[in-house]
Amino acid sequence: MVTNRRSWLKQLGLGAAGIGVGRLETIAAPFSDFPADDEPVRLVANENPYGPSPLAKKAMADHIALSNRYTRNITEALRAALAKKNNVSADNILTSAGSTEILDIAARVAVLKKGSTVSPSPSFNYWTSIAEKFGIERILVPLTADKKIDLPAVLSAIQPNTGVVYICNPNNPTGTLCSRKELVEFVTEASKKALILVDEAYIDFTEEQSLCDLVQGNKNLVIARTFSKIYGLAGARAGYAIAHPDTIQLFAGMQPWPNGSISVVSAAAAIASLGDEQFTKMVYSRIRHSKKYAIEQMERMGIRCIPSYTNFIYFSLAQYKKDYFKQLTLNNITGTGIWEEDGKWSRITVGTQHEMEKFIRAIA
Ligand SMILES: Cc1ncc(COP(=O)(O)O)c(C=O)c1O
């Protein structure tokens, strides 16, 4: 069935009353194989256009009526499910309202240590902005020429006062991946000097293995994970950390209510998502397919793209002759701005095949 945005708002009972329509206008409609041509296309925040999974939606509906209860039991069930999935124990898991909450706590740990932070640049801008907000000294390490994280340079940049080192793997906005072998060597050395926060928000779009098996033997390693990407639950706000139990305790102490940040409805969705492999496999293969299509088309136009291990593409507008941002606006597409001025690098989220075809037509 074709659902357009207006009928969707109507179903929510918001259309007629006009409540919140202004804000909802900026959100794309739920996934449809046959979207209306005038639907806005949101390719800005690396969201998953297909989610939430059918099982997650059912679990959310089933748990609405339990929202009068605090989350304790269901959060414990979520921690147990996450422990099983990652082959660790529940003591190694801290749940959070999205993984940005874990990044936020890590920044506060750096503040407590009165130390600097080291991170590659460009990387996930939330990390750099939160560090700035807390007034932490930021040491930024440029990427290599092919936009990969320069791990030896990051290691050398660590100072005696460094509290936290942030590594996003695969990296946002570039989509590049450090191999597990490179990272294990890096973490072994770097964690002798500082807490290493490895953000694996996009690891599910790769074939690479997580570092979560290392946490039991290393108190200075924290892995941040999210349900916002392959599971399609960005608006549900569910994330978690995997770390040594002592480190989990330290991080939990900085939450208003340890493990209490995720609502009953979102926790139910997260648990159900973990059991919906059919959905994640579908997302994985559809994103791969539309990413390949978009990169091939962009490269045919002379736009240099960095090989991506994620659901977004980093590309240079240096050789592009039209006004890229005007083309997006004219076609009701939201993309991102520029990251590195000198090479005019920008990022586009990989949406559905239909959305990527619309994007390519818009910039052709
Ligand atoms: C690298 C990275 N980490 C974390 C997040 C945020 O995740 P969450 O929605 O779980 O807070 C994002 C979102 O785009 C991201 O790109």
Side-chain angles (χ1 to χ4, degrees):
M1 193 190 72
V2 179
T3 316
N4 69 29
R5 191 172 63 260
R6 248 166 255 295
S7 64
W8 178 56
L9 292 173
K10 227 169 166 182
Q11 282 166 27
L12 288 174
L14 298 177
I19 303 167
V21 170
R23 268 185 305 155
L24 286 173
E25 283 288 328
T26 63
I27 300 179
F31 170 68
S32 157
D33 268 323
F34 308 101
D37 270 348
D38 64 346
E39 284 300 351
V41 175
R42 230 177 103 87
L43 302 177
V44 59
N46 305 337
E47 293 154 346
N48 175 346
Y50 304 105
S53 88
L55 294 188
K57 282 192 263 194
K58 181 173 182 319
M60 288 168 117
D62 289 348
H63 283 77
I64 287 172
L66 292 172
S67 296
N68 57 326
R69 302 292 175 194
Y70 285 115
T71 58
R72 202 177 308 276
N73 290 351
I74 196 152
T75 311
E76 287 316 304
L78 175 58
R79 289 178 78 204
L82 288 170
K84 188 161 176 234
K85 176 188 158 54
N86 293 293
N87 206 15
V88 294
S89 105
D91 293 351
N92 296 116
I93 305 282
L94 182 71
T95 57
S96 55
S99 59
T100 38
E101 187 184 343
I102 301 299
L103 271 52
D104 188 276
I105 295 172
R108 282 186 274 148
V109 168
V111 172
L112 286 179
K113 292 188 176 178
K114 297 190 173 56
S116 57
T117 76
V118 176
S119 61
S121 176
S123 193
F124 183 35
N125 47 16
Y126 180 84
W127 174 257
T128 31
S129 61
I130 190 84
E132 188 172 26
K133 205 160 81 185
F134 286 153
I136 311 169
E137 182 198 347
R138 292 175 307 161
I139 299 166
L140 302 177
V141 180
L143 303 178
T144 61
D146 51 1
K147 307 291 173 199
K148 286 177 97 176
I149 294 177
D150 190 341
L151 290 174
V154 174
L155 187 61
S156 323
I158 299 174
Q159 302 299 307
N161 80 340
T162 297
V164 177
V165 177
Y166 175 75
I167 301 288
C168 185
N169 194 52
N171 189 40
N172 179 3
T174 55
T176 49
L177 179 74
C178 301
S179 72
R180 182 181 151 91
K181 185 172 173 296
E182 290 170 298
L183 261 188
V184 170
E185 281 170 15
F186 168 80
V187 167
T188 307
E189 284 312 307
S191 64
K192 292 176 188 158
K193 305 174 178 186
L195 182 79
I196 314 301
L197 173 61
V198 179
D199 185 339
E200 292 186 344
Y202 300 97
I203 195 87
D204 301 309
F205 292 101
T206 76
E207 298 289 327
E208 197 55 271
Q209 205 191 321
S210 158
L211 292 191
C212 63
D213 55 311
L214 303 184
V215 299
Q216 200 54 32
N218 191 336
K219 289 188 185 181
N220 257 350
L221 172 63
V222 175
I223 316 284
R225 290 272 189 79
T226 181
F227 282 90
S228 298
K229 305 301 170 185
I230 200 130
Y231 296 107
L233 287 171
R237 312 305 301 128
Y240 60 104
I242 312 175
H244 187 279
D246 291 353
T247 314
I248 289 291
Q249 286 299 319
L250 171 72
F251 273 47
M254 301 218 192
Q255 286 184 314
W257 175 5
N259 286 298
S261 304
I262 308 184
S263 73
V264 168
V265 171
S266 296
I271 294 170
S273 295
L274 292 174
D276 200 342
E277 242 185 66
Q278 200 185 339
F279 173 77
T280 45
K281 279 189 179 152
M282 178 276 283
V283 172
Y284 183 89
S285 78
R286 285 204 188 192
I287 294 291
R288 260 180 94 107
H289 180 265
S290 44
K291 178 167 68 180
K292 184 167 175 287
Y293 161 81
I295 290 179
E296 278 170 8
Q297 297 300 317
M298 289 163 84
E299 285 185 337
R300 264 188 29 193
M301 289 179 221
I303 297 175
R304 182 180 164 206
C305 298
I306 298 296
S308 163
Y309 290 84
T310 58
N311 63 338
F312 53 84
I313 302 163
Y314 197 57
F315 58 93
S316 169
L317 290 167
Q319 307 299 324
Y320 186 71
K321 299 285 177 279
K322 291 189 187 170
D323 182 339
Y324 171 79
F325 298 103
K326 190 170 162 204
Q327 293 305 114
L328 293 194
T329 308
L330 285 175
N331 289 279
N332 209 0
I333 297 172
T334 316
T336 67
I338 292 288
W339 259 265
E340 298 172 274
E341 280 296 336
D342 51 347
K344 292 197 183 148
W345 289 90
S346 191
R347 188 194 75 192
I348 198 81
T349 299
V350 177
T352 64
Q353 180 65 19
H354 175 90
E355 288 173 334
M356 297 325 279
E357 284 170 13
K358 187 168 172 183
F359 168 70
I360 293 297
R361 278 198 305 277
I363 63 169

